[in-house]
């Protein structure tokens, strides 16, 4: 069966003592983040992966083997991977999310309104029919509609592991006020859905499979 667990943690759940379970590469990345919020989101994402996989594998979190190698350059900033499961991590604003699947998964959460130039970014990331649709919106509603597009598209590109370097405008998704669906994409079968978080954040989940997944959403507890 095609199953996905989605776990959410609030940024306030991060604790300095979690750093002890990070490997050397993760500790170095943690140390390099300048802003406390970026540190907390990264630390929580790593902690969620290590603790949840550790529980599944009956291993201490620090002993879970993770591969973070970037497909393009080999540096440890790529999609986090572990043997036997499919993973996707996302963080934005107040939230950190982790999807654990049996088929390749892509999770994306974005805080609404953090973008100053919606039209500029939309011009570079939306397909012509999506841009046309976006014209129906103004102000914060426009930011919200654009963020809906962005999360749906980025979730798909995170599922393949290509990331947004593959070009967000190569993926066409359904209009923001309609249920999430892939309209046009030069890739295999994919299942797309929106996930509810709170009024300031939007999120989407993509699963590369022909069958709709069974999705379970839960709050991560430390
Ligand atoms: C990587 C990328 C998807 C992250 O997007 P974002 O909105 O900034 O961040 P998110 O919080 O949603 O996702 C972060 C997570 O994505 C994962 N990730 C990294 N590269 C990824 C990829 N190619 N595909 C899927 N997931 C990826 C990581 O696990 C990361 O979590 P981490 O902080 O624990 O390392 C996006 O920045 C991107 O596609 N960048 C272009 C890729 C690129 O330039 N690669 C070449 C670098 S040499
Ligand atoms: Zn790289």
């Amino acid at each position: 069966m095609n199953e996905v667990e989605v776990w959410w943690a609030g940024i306030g759940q991060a604790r300095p003592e979690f750093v002890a379970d990070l490997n050397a590469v993760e500790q170095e990345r943690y140390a390099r983040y300048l802003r406390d919020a970026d540190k907390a989101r990264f630390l929580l994402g790593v902690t969620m992966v290590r603790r949840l996989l550790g529980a599944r594998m009956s291993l201490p979190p620090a002993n879970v083997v993770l591969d973070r190698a970037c497909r393009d350059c080999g540096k440890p900033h790529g999609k986090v991977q572990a043997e036997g499961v499919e993973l996707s991590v996302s963080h934005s604003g107040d939230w950190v999310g982790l999807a654990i699947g049996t088929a390749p998964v892509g999770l994306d959460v974005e805080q609404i309104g953090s973008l100053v130039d919606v039209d500029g970014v939309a011009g570079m990331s939306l397909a012509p029919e999506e841009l046309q649709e976006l014209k129906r919106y103004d102000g914060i509603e426009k930011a919200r509609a654009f963020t809906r597009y962005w999360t749906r598209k980025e979730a798909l590109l995170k599922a393949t592991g290509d990331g947004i370097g593959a070009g967000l405008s190569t993926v066409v998704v359904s209009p923001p006020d309609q249920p999430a669906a892939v309209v046009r994409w030069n890739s295999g079968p994919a299942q797309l859905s929106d996930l509810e978080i709170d009024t300031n954040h939007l999120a989407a989940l993509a699963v590369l499979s022909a069958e709709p997944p069974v999705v379970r959403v839960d709050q991560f507890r430390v």
Side-chain angles (χ1 to χ4, degrees):
M1 201 179 14
N2 175 10
E3 291 177 332
V4 184
E5 285 177 12
V6 177
W7 296 89
W8 292 112
I11 189 170
Q13 291 179 254
R15 295 280 173 274
E17 60 266 27
F18 297 167
V19 177
D21 285 338
L22 273 51
N23 66 23
V25 155
E26 291 161 347
Q27 295 210 7
E28 194 196 314
R29 273 188 58 191
Y30 175 76
R32 263 194 282 126
Y33 284 108
L34 297 177
R35 295 188 305 165
D36 286 348
D38 290 328
K39 276 189 189 292
R41 283 185 290 256
F42 174 69
L43 178 59
L44 260 181
V46 179
T47 302
M48 290 165 82
V49 173
R50 290 193 168 280
R51 292 195 178 188
L52 291 166
L53 294 190
R56 282 181 173 218
M57 299 169 176
S58 304
L59 281 176
N63 291 12
V64 173
V65 177
L66 301 176
D67 178 6
R68 297 180 175 276
C70 169
R71 263 193 204 172
D72 298 316
C73 72
K75 288 188 190 154
H77 56 218
K79 184 176 188 174
V80 62
Q81 292 182 281
E83 185 106 10
V85 284
E86 299 286 347
L87 304 172
S88 187
V89 170
S90 188
H91 18 61
S92 179
D94 301 334
W95 295 99
V96 181
L98 166 65
I100 308 176
T102 48
V105 284
L107 178 67
D108 192 51
V109 53
E110 300 289 340
Q111 188 172 33
I112 303 164
S114 48
L115 205 57
V116 262
D117 178 17
V118 173
D119 288 325
V121 182
M124 293 184 295
S125 53
L126 298 191
E129 63 260 59
E130 293 169 336
L131 273 175
Q132 195 58 36
E133 181 69 26
L134 195 68
K135 286 188 186 154
R136 296 177 41 216
Y137 298 89
D138 258 322
I140 185 68
E141 285 311 315
K142 190 175 205 169
R144 193 179 173 80
F146 174 72
T147 306
R148 186 65 89 188
Y149 268 134
W150 181 279
T151 55
R152 290 175 178 176
K153 287 148 84 73
E154 185 169 336
L156 287 161
L157 294 174
K158 287 181 77 176
T160 61
D162 291 333
I164 57 176
L168 281 159
S169 56
T170 62
V171 182
V172 183
V173 295
S174 49
D177 59 353
Q178 290 177 31
V182 180
V183 172
R184 212 170 51 246
W185 193 28
N186 236 352
S187 200
Q191 308 293 324
L192 187 61
S193 54
D194 296 327
L195 299 173
E196 287 299 318
I197 312 185
D198 64 19
T199 49
N200 299 324
H201 301 75
L202 297 179
L205 174 72
V207 184
L208 303 186
S209 71
E211 296 296 316
V214 176
V215 179
R216 208 190 84 198
V217 181
D218 220 330
Q219 173 76 27
F220 177 74
R221 304 200 187 279
V222 289

